[in-house]
Amino acid sequence: MLAQLLLRFDPAMPRPIKASIHTAALAHNLDVARRHAPNSKVWAVVKANAYGHGIENAYPGLRDTDGFGLLDLDEAVRLRELGWAGPILLLEGFFKPEDLAIVDKYGLTTTVHSDEQLRMLETTRLTKPLNIQLKMNSGMNRLGFAPERFRAAWERARAIPGVSQIVLMTHFSDADGERGIAHQMETFERGACDVPGERSLSNSAATLFHPTAHGAWVRPGIMLYGSSPKGLEVTAAQLDLQPTQTLEAELIGIQDVPAGGSVGYGSSFVAQTPMRVGTVACGYADGYPRVAPTGTPILVDGVRTRTVGRVSMDMLSVDLTPVPQARVGASVTLWGRGLCIDEVAASAGTLGYELMCAVARRVPIHAV
Ligand SMILES: *Cc1c(COP(=O)(O)O)cnc(C)c1O
């Protein structure tokens, strides 16, 4: 009786969906970043729970980095608890004076981008030296000091007891695109020309495509996770980047749909000829994009096919024409090994970034 009850509630029998994190691929992609910027130290960016991979899952693959960059204090503390004793950079800095107690306790490096943050630093007593990255707004107009005020901000920061190393930082809006970085580099150099200190400028796209901007530190994020900052224009494979997150599910149903039969909500897909359609245990509540249209690539038993009809909350449908042997229980790859996340993203009109960050909590996720 008890055994039966235990069986019923056995958590080892979940829905057939999971995400696997590929430790060796993370390490490989970090090496690719190092190859591109051999003279720079690397802040491996692990914000947003390591781009949806889970800090704990990503850490083993990325521990050869020089430092980790992230946003949430909670994630910084988790990294310390995993045993990481090296630098951790808060990419947006602290938000409230009380955050500084945690910054101090855990020995974090912080971005300083505003007068408000300088004021908080001026009025807080720290117990250990604090390294900061002083951020200039060189044209993105999100965070940072205006170029003409940068030198004054640096002098103010330098005068704060407890502030130790000051690295000069900015962020590019178009390192992956046509406009490029020249206009921002020019602004940055103008504002920082008489300010000493190492530089921290480059996201993945600048790390890959703009060697003149590397400086002492680079800050790659997306490339570490096997997605190209240029999407399908320069593919992850062309950049020698390996997928680090495979989202897999199974077929849980198969339908023989007659010519004229429709599939899913809104009957948006109508079969032109009789066809077999598989039902996959993955929907938008798992993080698969609802906007992915009919024709989005997907693998069944390793064979490439396409989705058909609308994505539901818990299920989506696939065309089984290229995989006539597929049965209930067949493995389905939504993205990852064998199907680059950037292809699925392009079909859904978004980026690999958004898909990998959106994998839902109900999907079990493990490093392999
Ligand atoms: C997210 C982020 C990065 C990494 O960007 P990718 O495009 O993912 O490489 C670097 N620097 C800052 C400040 C960021 O917020």
Side-chain angles (χ1 to χ4, degrees):
M1 182 64 189
L2 183 64
Q4 247 171 340
L5 265 177
L6 284 177
L7 255 185
R8 262 184 72 193
F9 296 109
D10 185 350
M13 296 174 68
R15 262 171 92 227
I17 182 167
K18 65 174 182 182
S20 304
I21 303 306
H22 309 300
T23 301
L26 285 161
H28 169 88
N29 296 340
L30 177 61
D31 275 349
V32 175
R34 287 205 187 279
R35 252 190 272 144
H36 281 270
N39 302 314
S40 307
K41 289 168 281 182
V42 175
W43 291 113
V45 177
V46 292
K47 62 189 178 189
N49 204 18
Y51 290 53
H53 290 53
I55 295 273
E56 289 75 10
N57 296 320
Y59 179 67
L62 296 176
R63 63 198 304 168
D64 281 341
T65 186
D66 301 294
F68 286 98
L70 44 70
L71 301 157
D72 290 292
L73 287 170
D74 156 67
E75 294 179 346
V77 172
R78 280 158 61 200
L79 268 178
R80 286 284 183 250
E81 284 167 355
L82 287 166
W84 176 254
I88 299 178
L89 169 64
L90 297 173
L91 293 162
E92 290 180 350
F94 47 95
F95 306 95
K96 296 274 161 15
E98 46 277 28
D99 297 342
L100 281 170
I102 297 171
V103 169
D104 191 36
K105 176 173 175 193
Y106 290 95
L108 309 181
T109 301
T110 180
T111 297
V112 173
H113 61 77
S114 70
D115 288 316
E116 290 73 16
Q117 288 175 327
L118 282 174
R119 195 166 315 123
M120 286 186 251
L121 279 175
E122 283 163 346
T123 53
T124 305
R125 279 184 75 129
L126 302 168
T127 68
K128 2 178 156 62
L130 173 71
N131 292 335
I132 69 170
Q133 299 221 349
L134 193 70
K135 186 165 188 180
M136 187 196 297
N137 171 18
S138 59
M140 188 156 183
N141 290 314
R142 258 182 358 183
L143 298 178
F145 296 96
E148 55 277 12
R149 295 206 42 244
F150 195 65
R151 164 110 206 165
W154 179 80
E155 278 172 5
R156 204 173 145 193
R158 198 178 50 147
I160 297 170
V163 168
S164 179
Q165 195 194 25
I166 306 178
V167 170
L168 316 183
M169 175 187 189
T170 197
H171 193 59
F172 298 125
S173 58
D174 292 77
D176 57 333
E178 234 165 71
R179 193 173 181 204
I181 63 164
H183 62 296
Q184 281 185 272
M185 281 302 278
E186 200 252 311
T187 304
F188 181 81
E189 292 306 342
R190 183 157 41 81
C193 61
D194 56 351
V195 186
E198 293 181 345
R199 277 134 165 81
S200 164
L201 315 175
S202 293
N203 59 2
S204 295
T207 302
L208 289 165
F209 306 118
H210 300 288
T212 56
H214 284 170
W217 289 89
V218 291
R219 305 190 305 268
I222 193 70
M223 68 178 294
L224 303 178
Y225 306 100
S227 169
S228 167
K230 283 189 184 271
L232 298 182
E233 193 191 322
V234 181
T235 65
Q238 286 166 340
L239 294 167
D240 187 30
L241 300 173
Q242 298 176 359
T244 60
Q245 182 191 83
T246 299
L247 180 62
E248 272 172 297
E250 289 179 10
L251 290 187
I252 58 170
I254 293 177
Q255 303 297 336
D256 288 304
V257 179
S262 66
V263 178
Y265 286 118
S267 304
S268 73
F269 177 81
V270 177
Q272 299 304 302
T273 55
M275 63 188 283
R276 287 176 85 235
V277 169
T279 304
V280 182
C282 177
Y284 61 79
D286 298 299
Y288 195 88
R290 201 189 80 95
V291 294
T294 288
T296 299
I298 189 166
L299 309 183
V300 176
D301 270 344
V303 177
R304 192 181 168 103
T305 178
R306 58 173 183 150
T307 65
V308 290
R310 280 196 198 147
V311 175
S312 306
M313 181 184 282
D314 312 302
M315 289 173 262
L316 58 79
S317 299
V318 291
D319 180 356
L320 294 180
T321 310
V323 248
Q325 79 287 354
R327 298 287 173 264
V328 166
S331 90
V332 176
T333 301
L334 290 310
W335 59 67
R337 286 208 174 143
L339 176 58
C340 182
I341 194 167
D342 295 331
E343 283 198 66
V344 180
S347 183
T350 184
L351 304 172
Y353 291 80
E354 191 178 4
L355 298 190
M356 61 177 72
C357 289
V359 173
R361 277 169 76 129
R362 75 178 190 182
V363 177
I365 183 162
H366 298 292
V368 294

